[in-house]
Amino acid sequence: METNIKSKTLDEFKTITGTMINPAVQEWKDNGGKVIGYFCCNIPDEVMTAAGILPLRLRGTGSTGTELSDAFYSSINCSFPRHVFNMALNHEFDILDGLIVPNSCDHIRRIYDNWLRQLDIGFLEMFNLPRKVEEPQVQWYKDEVHLLVEKLEKQFGVEITEEKLKNAIKLHNENRRLLKQIYELRKVDNPPITGGQMIAVIVAGTAIPRDKYNEMLKELLEDLKGAEGIKDHRARLMVLGGILDDPEYMDILEDQGGLVVTDSICFGTRLFWTEVSEEGDPYEAIARYQIQQRPTCPRSYGDQPKRAQYLLDMIKEFKVDGVIGERLLFCDSWVVEHYMNDQDLKEAGVPFLKLDREYILSGKGQLRTRVQAFLEMLGGK
Amino acid sequence: MIVGGCDIGSTTGKAVIMKDGEIIASTIIPSTTKPEETARMAMDEALKQADLSSIDDLDYIVGTGYGRLKVQFAKENISEISCHARGAHWMSPTVRTVVDIGGQDCKVMSISDEGKVVEFVMNDRCAAGTGRFFEGMARVLHCGLDGISSLENQGAEPSTITSQCSVFAESEVVTLINEGSDLKNIIAGINNSVSGRLNSMVRKVGLVEDVALTGGCAKNAGLAKALEKHLKVSVKQLPHDPQIAGAVGAALIAVEKAAG
């Protein structure tokens, strides 16, 4: 898929996404700043911003193998934690001053246990997430945020006031609004940006200071508004799934002529489709956002119908012709979800392609065959 | 109108030439390490068979299979999933479910009245249930592919082979051999285990008759018999070589492309 867009900012986003410790992280460190690693969409990264600490969402970008970490994982563990922990054992994350791990799934949760036993890090915190999405769970999450704030204040000698927290929420909400504005541009018949480019933009936002990110997003929006739209696509696609952070994977999906126009993935709309309330108690606002207002992933219980509706709404809003559901092998959260999505999409008359994958791109030939056949199917060939 | 279809698979290269809706030439050759050469060789042989002097005599050529991007003389490439569906439907228009078992993967397609793919599944990162798998088993059993296929060799009490991985399945077979199991029961067990996997793939897209087998492994009579038992329906015999179904489908799509 070719775009005519010339954007220095977009190139910068790609560079940031292509490496784990990007120059902005190094610069932050060199200026005496602290960096805390974390995983998933459900960590309140606003808290780190409020503490003046850079939140860096960890990925396995650049990993070439899992020979060190495999000693601590079984062959039925997801390749994402195996690659990330391998990098950790290889001292590629030594730059971190701390790490916060959520119990998103058992595979990710074990990064915490392994890190605790195998590596030294100044600050290692387990962020305990509830599963249900009702009032007691909002309170639970709120308590976890209070705990995290206390521990960060003690460890790093900072004061995280409510005012600082509110300012961080405003800053992060601006991220969300700007990203949503870019998605608005993808609703038209000829969007100016590909799915591969978009994922680079979103991943970069989890790896640089959020104020700098906002400035870059504003520049990108200007570039996109002046850009010529993409015309040569033969179908509009939505990607649905989990930890997908690799622009090359998206590129392969799009190389066959389908243009990805929207998504529900961990480095996608689930991060920014709704905002944290800027009114009232910021702890309460963050907790309610995370538990009840943000589009959730299948780790949550009780709100599957809401997730299913989110998918159908997206399809309508973005005029999606077909949905590609990707899943990391051994991901037990997504596997059954995709079967439910399959049923819903059949009813809605929207073709659905399920793809299993490894975290680091492999099996490109089979992937291309599947995607090409899917597009031929959409085109009625 | 004269058109060509060229299907470059992992194990064999197939070329078909069709004139006014009839197959006038078809070839199957072993794949080389250079897909562009496999394609050229398969097509040259087909041209000779059709008494054509040059590839320029063909109005349109479509490439398919794993090597589809390397069929240099093809004007377009189409996935083998679409091509097998089209080919099987042309061979037998009542077919609604196509099970394509090739050298390195297997696919199940659900197709419409017009031979278009409605849904498909493909096996993942595992050779079990493919030509590669049967070759490995034939080697261990010293019986050749014909030995696995032969209906006389399908023992009445199939051995149980449960491994999902072809390498481990081979170890299971070696264990059975060393335990002194009847070779015919082992052979039936092999076809049985592959049929079980194919059955679950068929159930994923939904079983609609008629069911047809395509690809090289469609010639395994023992497998077809075992699959019928699993599916509880009979498998439709195609009136042409099922291994060329992909190339035939490519040629049929070439007709459409040539017409614009």
Side-chain angles (χ1 to χ4, degrees), chain B residues 69-110:
Chain B
L69 297 172
K70 300 284 184 187
V71 183
Q72 284 158 339
F73 46 79
K75 283 203 183 119
E76 184 145 1
N77 75 83
I78 300 285
S79 75
E80 57 269 34
I81 292 170
S82 302
C83 289
H84 272 272
R86 283 300 291 278
H89 182 263
W90 178 84
M91 289 178 183
S92 190
T94 54
V95 169
R96 293 294 173 273
T97 307
V98 180
V99 181
D100 164 33
I101 316 160
Q104 70 176 9
D105 63 32
C106 41
K107 311 169 181 93
V108 177
M109 288 81 83
S110 160

Side-chain angles (χ1 to χ4, degrees), chain A residues 94-147:
Chain A
D94 285 1
I95 198 167
L96 297 179
D97 298 289
L99 177 70
I100 304 171
V101 186
N103 53 334
S104 299
C105 65
D106 266 356
H107 307 264
I108 286 187
R109 173 225 145 167
R110 291 296 185 181
I111 297 178
Y112 170 85
D113 296 308
N114 277 331
W115 210 298
L116 192 64
R117 288 169 67 104
Q118 306 299 333
L119 292 161
D120 281 328
I121 191 163
F123 180 83
L124 180 61
E125 180 66 9
M126 163 59 76
F127 195 93
N128 189 9
L129 298 163
R131 289 279 184 182
K132 286 170 74 180
V133 293
E134 292 168 32
E135 282 308 305
Q137 288 78 43
V138 175
Q139 187 56 45
W140 170 341
Y141 193 100
K142 198 172 143 185
D143 291 345
E144 281 291 312
V145 181
H146 274 290
L147 257 173

